[in-house]
Amino acid sequence: MTTETAAEVAPNIEVAVYRLNSADSTFTVQAFAEGLFSAFGHDPVIQIREFTGEVQFVPGTFADASLRLTIDPNSLTVSGDVKEKDRAEIEQTMRRDVLETAKYHEIVFASHNITVSRVAQGRYRARAIGDLSLHGTTQKSLWITAETILTENGFRAKGDFSIKQTDFGIKPYSAVGGGIKLKNELKFSFDIAAGKA
């Protein structure tokens, strides 16, 4: 297993650009219930339906690698077996009171360090360290790891990471006098496709 760095690459080698494809990807947020909700196993899963992004790196060496991902917070929807009335209420509360999408229009991750290790032919383990801007607050040096399969025309990256809502000034969702509430931690899981620009 090897890790490639920019120091191993001769200058003036062309950087390849890949664009993320939300239509061919799965990106979810797992929330965890506590209080009354937890006894019934109601751990909501939120689908992130609209996001854009770009990945760049030097083919073969992964030097000068970078990632920028932008999520539309209004595209977040509740998935799974949830009554339509409950779904609408949760989504409205999430957008209006939790994410405050009228005020904060984007969620952005921008890398400042990416390392890639080869696992097998066409398969790699990637680690991106960057800044996540959410709800008007930026968390520095968030780590995201992914298993990546690289093809001639694109790649797929699969992994997960967690954040705490209070790190971004967000008060975890609570209703029915606190009988229904969510834990501070959120787990993001992704299986993202990208194609050559």
Side-chain angles (χ1 to χ4, degrees), residues 71-127:
I71 295 169
D72 177 0
N74 280 308
S75 76
L76 273 63
T77 58
V78 177
S79 67
D81 186 19
V82 180
K83 293 180 182 177
E84 198 54 43
K85 180 183 177 184
D86 293 341
R87 186 193 314 275
E89 182 179 343
I90 293 170
E91 289 177 0
Q92 181 184 40
T93 302
M94 176 174 62
R95 293 169 185 158
R96 183 191 62 209
D97 301 331
V98 179
L99 296 173
E100 297 184 86
T101 60
K103 185 176 180 181
Y104 305 110
H105 310 298
E106 293 181 333
I107 301 169
V108 178
F109 176 82
S111 70
H112 48 71
N113 179 271
I114 294 179
T115 57
V116 180
S117 301
R118 185 175 183 271
V119 177
Q121 182 65 37
R123 293 182 56 219
Y124 301 86
R125 182 172 293 110
R127 183 196 68 195

Side-chain angles (χ1 to χ4, degrees), residues 87-172:
R87 186 193 314 275
E89 182 179 343
I90 293 170
E91 289 177 0
Q92 181 184 40
T93 302
M94 176 174 62
R95 293 169 185 158
R96 183 191 62 209
D97 301 331
V98 179
L99 296 173
E100 297 184 86
T101 60
K103 185 176 180 181
Y104 305 110
H105 310 298
E106 293 181 333
I107 301 169
V108 178
F109 176 82
S111 70
H112 48 71
N113 179 271
I114 294 179
T115 57
V116 180
S117 301
R118 185 175 183 271
V119 177
Q121 182 65 37
R123 293 182 56 219
Y124 301 86
R125 182 172 293 110
R127 183 196 68 195
I129 304 174
D131 299 338
L132 178 64
S133 298
L134 166 64
H135 195 250
T137 300
T138 299
Q139 179 181 340
K140 303 287 187 180
S141 299
L142 176 70
W143 288 42
I144 299 176
T145 57
E147 299 295 326
T148 304
I149 298 176
L150 187 64
T151 65
E152 185 177 347
N153 297 314
F155 68 83
R156 293 199 75 93
K158 186 175 183 179
D160 55 60
F161 63 95
S162 297
I163 66 168
K164 291 183 178 179
Q165 297 177 73
T166 52
D167 288 343
F168 297 91
I170 296 173
K171 184 178 179 180

